[in-house]
Amino acid sequence: MPSFISNFNALHRQWILQVFISFCICMLIANAGVRYLQKHTWWAKRDLQMGGFQNEAIAEQYTYGKQKKDIVIVGSSVSTQLPPEGVRPRHVGTIFIQGSGGMSGLELLVRSGAAPKLVLVEIDFLARGVDIALIDTIYTANLIKKYIPALRYENNLVNLFSKRYIKTVSLKPLPQALMDKVNLQLAPRIDAELKAAAGVALPESDIQLLLNMIEARTRILSQRGCKIVFFALPKHPKKVDLPGDLRWKQKLSERFPHYPIIEPNPNTSYFLVDGLHFCAASGKAYFDYLMQEIKRLGL
Amino acid sequence: MENFFISSIFFLACIGSLLIYYLPFSRRLQIPLLICVSLGIYWLAAGNLIFLLLFCCVNTAIFSYGAAYAAIKWRKKMMITGIIINISLLVFFKYKRLFIPSTLFAGWFGNDPVWMGIYQLALPIGISFYVFHGLSLMIDSYLNPVLLKTSEHSFLKHLQKTMLYLVFFPQLVAGPIAKGKFFYTQIKPKLFANIDWTNALRALVQGYFLKEVIANNLNQLTAPLSYPEAWAHTASNELLWMVIGYSAQIFADFAGYSLIAIGLGRLYGYELPINFNCPYFAHSFSNFWTRWHISLSSWLRDYLYIPLGGNRISAMRTYANLMIVMAIGGLWHGPEWKYVTWGLLHGSALAIERLLSGRLQFITIYLPTILQAVIQVLRILFVFAFVTFAWLFFRLNSVQEVITFVQHVQAWRMVYTPSHQASLLLLYIFSGTIFAYHLLNSGVLSTMTLRLKRYDGYLAGLLLVLCLIAKGKENAFIYFQF
């Protein structure tokens, strides 16, 4: 043995051998466990979107396992309860990315090669663009993750734990008194938000760039036979028909006249727990409304 | 730099540089190679701010050399000048916004774009660490000139060694703060045959486990602490556990980083100081500061507290010294008053403890052994509770937020959300893991630990697998911001 590695004595060798053996055995057990859980237990039934569940896991849930859904809804965390997990029909898949929006969902659909019959795109946070870091993470070492499912984020021990212990949300409507109290508390915050956002508009060049990004992705999906439908989210009464939102919708309908935009029913009120996100009951109600509208449009 | 220590570029750079570093013919070039690799890494992270680091290196080299070799009457002056320049750099780049409002600065320099550009410069990464390294070398060179004189009497050699001491990449951005006398004497060509493989890899595996699995997961679980508007919708017991979780997170994050740095240092043949020694098992505040961020607390003790008179002066002066040292220790973490408050809080605890300790010891000495043990456990719990409460000043944005947070916990409100149970269970598990880590390392289970040590390679393999299958979402090391 050359002198410069002569210190690699028996103790070092023994320790490294222990690490290697233990690593291989633990990895085999973890992988076998994940494969077993995927086939035999509560695992497959859970389709968590948020509530401590990571974006990576949500994206992988779709990328690696749920590509055969007829309808896929893509959006931001605001759409999370569309519909709540416990009442989600088997043919509906969802990709809701926190901090990003529908564009990341579209990108995932394109990259994963999926071809659902209908893609519902939330338009409110499309301007956030694609979360490139997330997409890169999902597709880094894609092949390894495909064959060693234990390495996927969706199978991360912490995410498994969340899947096991996060309970399905209750669809019971919240008491009116509580909703009134929350709305009262929210009012000053929403006023402040509106004040901060007043006069701030997305430059025309950015809008065109975003429209081009949407077009590039929806074109690919259309070529695969998908139908595209946009939908807007219900807003807090103070935030309805803000100039920025109206302009964005107008630009969308001008560029994509063949994709319908479903607007919330003005006669129904939805409770938004923080002025933005649905409570479970409202999410279910709005999802039912979306499905009705899709039927009405003959899609 | 944020996730640099877990990036593939980093692993490639390490393996590549290690291979070249230990080639027999490159032994003479080891120090320049390590300096180049370190500077390259820093340049990738900090860009042009590398020139500030280089200036600090040259300044430290000149004045530490002067402090060791100049005529006796000049040595002290050389050291003081070097210290003033280094501290000025730190004050200007780190604390200018705390002491000089931007309007006042603009008034002085008439909105000159160059000066305003300097004023608005981002905080140079690792400045607190490399400036403290520089100060240490200058003081040690003055107090113990033999330190430098053991090497060749050449300024260029000294410059090279000083540069390596300041820029050595494992300790450059977040320590541990190796003292001059500790690191400088280690700088010499290294042999592959001397690598302590087992201890280096053991430290690396533990470090990555603490960071990737414990700290990163706890970071997500304690994220609601950043959103005061969410506290009203969160159960009080969950809020309380989030603070305990943050306490575990900051330990796992920083101890994890320190272990990675120590492991990397060992691979390159350098021993860095241990930074943590089961701090949450401390039975007193003074004991806590001999276990938490040991390299900083011993730096402050050696270069600030003792020169101020330490505890060899009147009681009042000692208390004042404790407050000064802890306030500066707090300020070292960042240019915000909340850090000063945190430091003063610890300073007060140390002063009060010092005031009471003699009397308490007198009482406990006459108690039965079992009661003494119970008191010891209660003291550990009290110190942990206080330290954990003080972390709120680190985590939250202002003293007002701390007060609001405490009110929300005090209200003891129960709100059950679907994720509540899972989050709480995960907080118990990860915080509990830190408790177990303390238990295994503290010597409480010494016989069992010794027996286990023979097989800890298997444990390391398991930890490695957990780093892959239970890691949390990446986030920067907390101490990178300091």
Side-chain angles (χ1 to χ4, degrees):
Chain A
M1 189 182 288
S3 65
F4 72 94
I5 55 167
S6 61
N7 81 316
F8 211 70
N9 61 31
L11 272 178
H12 292 312
R13 278 201 299 273
Q14 188 191 347
W15 192 84
I16 287 170
L17 195 67
Q18 281 181 6
V19 175
F20 181 74
I21 291 169
S22 161
F23 180 85
C24 292
I25 292 173
C26 292
M27 208 63 222
L28 280 171
I29 292 171
N31 214 39
V34 164
R35 282 185 185 279
Y36 175 82
L37 287 171
Q38 272 178 334
K39 284 178 188 163
H40 298 98
T41 59
W42 42 267
W43 180 294
K45 292 178 195 159
R46 301 295 312 255
D47 188 14
L48 286 177
Q49 286 296 308
M50 289 293 156
F53 213 55
Q54 297 177 17
N55 280 342
E56 287 88 339
I58 291 163
E60 281 185 350
Q61 246 176 199
Y62 187 83
T63 307
Y64 290 105
K66 309 277 166 54
Q67 293 184 22
K68 285 174 185 163
K69 303 285 184 186
D70 290 339
I71 301 176
V72 176
I73 313 176
V74 294
S76 64
S77 66
V78 182
S79 296
T80 302
Q81 305 288 1
L82 282 183
E85 189 212 350
V87 290
R88 194 172 298 143
R90 291 183 75 86
H91 67 291
V92 176
T94 53
I95 309 173
F96 301 137
I97 306 296
Q98 197 169 20
S100 177
M103 198 84 86
S104 296
L106 285 175
E107 176 72 11
L108 267 171
L109 283 175
V110 168
R111 289 247 210 149
S112 66
K117 287 180 186 161
L118 183 67
V119 179
L120 279 161
V121 184
E122 173 212 291
I123 59 170
D124 295 65
F125 294 96
L126 272 175
R128 285 179 177 170
V130 179
D131 185 344
I132 291 291
L134 170 75
I135 308 287
D136 283 349
T137 312
I138 303 304
Y139 285 95
T140 304
N142 193 16
L143 266 181
I144 297 175
K145 287 181 188 172
K146 194 171 176 182
Y147 295 108
I148 308 178
L151 292 179
R152 291 180 209 156
Y153 284 99
E154 63 163 331
N155 300 331
N156 182 297
L157 281 185
V158 177
N159 288 330
L160 281 187
F161 201 84
S162 304
K163 273 193 174 182
R164 177 70 184 83
Y165 284 101
I166 292 179
K167 287 180 181 164
T168 308
V169 286
S170 163
L171 286 174
K172 217 170 104 182
L174 296 169
Q176 189 59 44
L178 177 68
M179 292 198 276
D180 292 342
K181 192 180 163 193
V182 171
N183 279 331
L184 202 68
Q185 283 176 346
L186 279 172
R189 206 190 80 192
I190 289 176
D191 287 342
E193 277 175 20
L194 289 173
K195 198 176 164 188
V200 180
L202 211 56
E204 185 60 31
S205 56
D206 286 6
I207 291 183
Q208 290 309 320
L209 193 71
L210 285 164
L211 291 172
N212 292 343
M213 287 168 76
I214 298 168
E215 192 174 8
R217 286 159 183 84
T218 51
R219 195 192 306 126
I220 295 172
L221 290 173
S222 298
Q223 284 165 359
R224 292 181 195 162
C226 308
K227 287 176 183 159
I228 311 287
V229 174
F230 292 133
F231 70 95
L233 290 166
K235 298 273 188 329
H236 188 276
K238 286 188 175 180
K239 289 183 172 175
V240 173
D241 290 343
L242 293 178
D245 290 346
L246 291 174
R247 182 167 162 240
W248 175 237
K249 277 180 207 167
Q250 190 198 342
K251 295 280 177 190
L252 273 174
S253 51
E254 280 172 12
R255 176 69 81 93
F256 308 104
H258 42 296
Y259 300 156
I261 300 181
I262 301 175
E263 293 279 2
N265 184 348
N267 301 320
T268 313
S269 70
Y270 300 97
F271 179 61
L272 309 171
V273 284
D274 54 357
L276 204 62
H277 298 78
F278 287 114
C279 71
S282 294
K284 167 82 171 73
Y286 193 60
F287 174 74
D288 291 343
Y289 167 74
L290 284 178
M291 293 299 115
Q292 274 174 21
E293 285 297 292
I294 286 165
K295 262 189 194 159
R296 192 179 62 77
L297 291 165
L299 297 167
Chain B
M1 182 61 92
E2 288 188 350
N3 297 323
F4 188 74
F5 280 82
I6 32 173
S7 65
S8 42
I9 300 177
F10 173 74
F11 288 117
L12 285 175
C14 270
I15 294 168
S17 62
L18 270 172
L19 282 176
I20 303 171
Y21 186 79
Y22 283 116
L23 284 176
F25 57 80
S26 60
R27 192 166 300 156
R28 287 168 64 96
L29 297 171
Q30 277 182 347
I31 296 170
L33 175 77
L34 212 42
I35 292 171
C36 289
V37 170
S38 302
L39 287 176
I41 288 171
Y42 192 81
W43 179 74
L44 279 175
N48 286 341
L49 286 171
I50 196 175
F51 292 111
L52 188 67
L53 172 63
L54 290 173
F55 175 78
C56 188
C57 290
V58 173
N59 173 60
T60 303
I62 292 171
F63 289 100
S64 57
Y65 193 79
Y69 287 111
I72 290 175
K73 65 173 181 174
W74 285 103
R75 284 181 50 222
K76 192 169 187 178
K77 287 173 188 159
M78 292 294 273
M79 175 192 71
I80 290 171
T81 315
I83 289 174
I84 290 171
I85 295 172
N86 266 14
I87 289 183
S88 308
L89 283 180
L90 184 64
V91 170
F92 183 77
F93 282 94
K94 190 164 178 177
Y95 300 105
K96 57 184 182 295
R97 291 185 204 189
L98 184 69
F99 299 115
I100 314 167
S102 58
T103 45
L104 186 65
F105 192 87
W108 289 349
F109 294 99
N111 273 327
D112 182 76
V114 176
W115 280 103
M116 287 314 286
I118 292 174
Y119 184 80
Q120 280 156 3
L121 265 180
L123 177 70
I125 299 167
I127 188 167
S128 309
F129 290 93
Y130 63 71
V131 165
F132 267 43
H133 278 134
L135 295 180
S136 171
L137 184 62
M138 286 186 280
I139 297 170
D140 284 352
S141 305
Y142 172 72
L143 295 175
N144 184 16
V146 181
L147 175 76
L148 266 60
K149 288 176 181 171
T150 49
S151 61
E152 295 149 80
H153 194 318
S154 146
F155 176 72
L156 281 179
K157 289 269 180 203
H158 172 64
L159 176 65
Q160 204 181 52
K161 286 186 171 189
T162 306
M163 281 190 80
L164 180 61
Y165 169 51
L166 262 67
V167 307
F168 185 46
F169 76 92
Q171 62 166 7
L172 174 58
V173 286
I177 306 171
K179 292 198 189 86
K181 58 190 171 198
F182 181 82
F183 192 90
Y184 194 87
T185 46
Q186 294 185 49
I187 304 176
K188 54 189 170 199
K190 306 289 179 182
L191 294 172
F192 189 85
N194 292 338
I195 300 178
D196 184 357
W197 283 102
T198 310
N199 281 325
L201 296 177
R202 192 180 276 145
L204 283 171
V205 171
Q206 276 186 35
Y208 278 110
F209 171 76
L210 284 175
K211 171 62 184 164
E212 291 283 289
V213 180
I214 309 291
N216 283 353
N217 278 309
L218 280 171
N219 181 55
Q220 270 185 289
L221 293 165
T222 60
L225 289 175
S226 306
Y227 307 103
E229 63 276 11
W231 298 343
H233 307 290
T234 312
S236 296
N237 65 334
E238 197 175 341
L239 287 177
L240 190 63
W241 270 98
M242 277 182 207
V243 186
I244 296 172
Y246 181 69
S247 201
Q249 182 200 342
I250 196 167
F251 167 77
D253 195 283
F254 195 21
Y257 174 79
S258 299
L259 282 167
I260 293 171
I262 288 169
L264 283 171
R266 282 175 183 157
L267 287 181
Y268 287 93
Y270 291 91
E271 195 63 37
L272 297 177
I274 297 290
N275 229 4
F276 292 89
N277 177 23
C278 308
Y280 293 146
F281 275 9
H283 53 76
S284 66
F285 295 105
S286 49
N287 187 235
F288 175 80
W289 282 106
T290 59
R291 292 161 171 261
W292 178 274
H293 202 173
I294 300 168
S295 63
L296 175 68
S297 49
S298 66
W299 194 102
L300 290 170
R301 183 196 63 212
D302 290 358
Y303 300 124
L304 195 62
Y305 182 67
I306 291 173
L308 280 173
N311 51 8
R312 289 159 300 167
I313 41 175
S314 71
M316 285 312 288
R317 280 277 306 280
T318 305
Y319 301 145
N321 285 347
L322 284 171
M323 298 296 274
I324 292 168
V325 170
M326 292 313 293
I328 290 175
L331 198 59
W332 175 88
H333 288 87
E336 289 181 59
W337 293 113
K338 64 175 189 172
Y339 293 119
V340 181
T341 315
W342 172 81
L344 288 173
L345 215 64
H346 272 281
S348 315
L350 285 167
I352 293 169
E353 181 182 271
R354 192 170 183 79
L355 184 72
L356 297 176
S357 63
R359 288 163 216 189
L360 282 176
Q361 223 165 24
F362 180 73
I363 296 165
T364 51
I365 231 165
Y366 295 103
L367 292 173
T369 323
I370 185 113
L371 263 180
Q372 281 186 25
V374 171
I375 287 174
Q376 189 80 338
V377 172
L378 288 175
R379 285 177 69 177
I380 290 173
L381 287 175
F382 178 73
V383 172
F384 175 71
F386 181 90
V387 168
T388 298
F389 168 73
W391 287 134
L392 279 175
F393 291 88
F394 255 64
R395 185 66 173 80
L396 305 183
N397 292 319
S398 61
V399 177
Q400 184 53 46
E401 270 192 15
V402 175
I403 295 168
T404 314
F405 183 85
V406 171
Q407 284 167 347
H408 278 293
V409 175
Q410 246 181 351
W412 206 244
R413 187 181 43 246
M414 290 298 151
V415 184
Y416 285 100
T417 54
S419 57
H420 173 84
Q421 198 186 0
S423 303
L424 264 182
L425 276 169
L426 286 169
L427 278 168
Y428 298 154
I429 291 172
F430 289 119
S431 308
T433 311
I434 290 302
F435 175 76
Y437 182 84
H438 274 63
L439 212 57
L440 279 173
N441 285 288
S442 65
V444 177
L445 308 170
S446 51
T447 325
M448 196 180 110
T449 314
L450 273 177
R451 269 189 210 149
L452 279 177
K453 204 158 189 177
R454 284 182 62 192
Y455 305 105
D456 77 342
Y458 296 115
L459 180 66
L462 172 67
L463 296 186
L464 266 182
V465 172
L466 287 175
C467 286
L468 293 175
I469 67 167
K471 64 178 175 182
K473 199 172 180 182
E474 299 303 350
N475 76 301
F477 286 97
I478 294 173
Y479 264 69
F480 275 19
Q481 62 185 300
F482 304 139

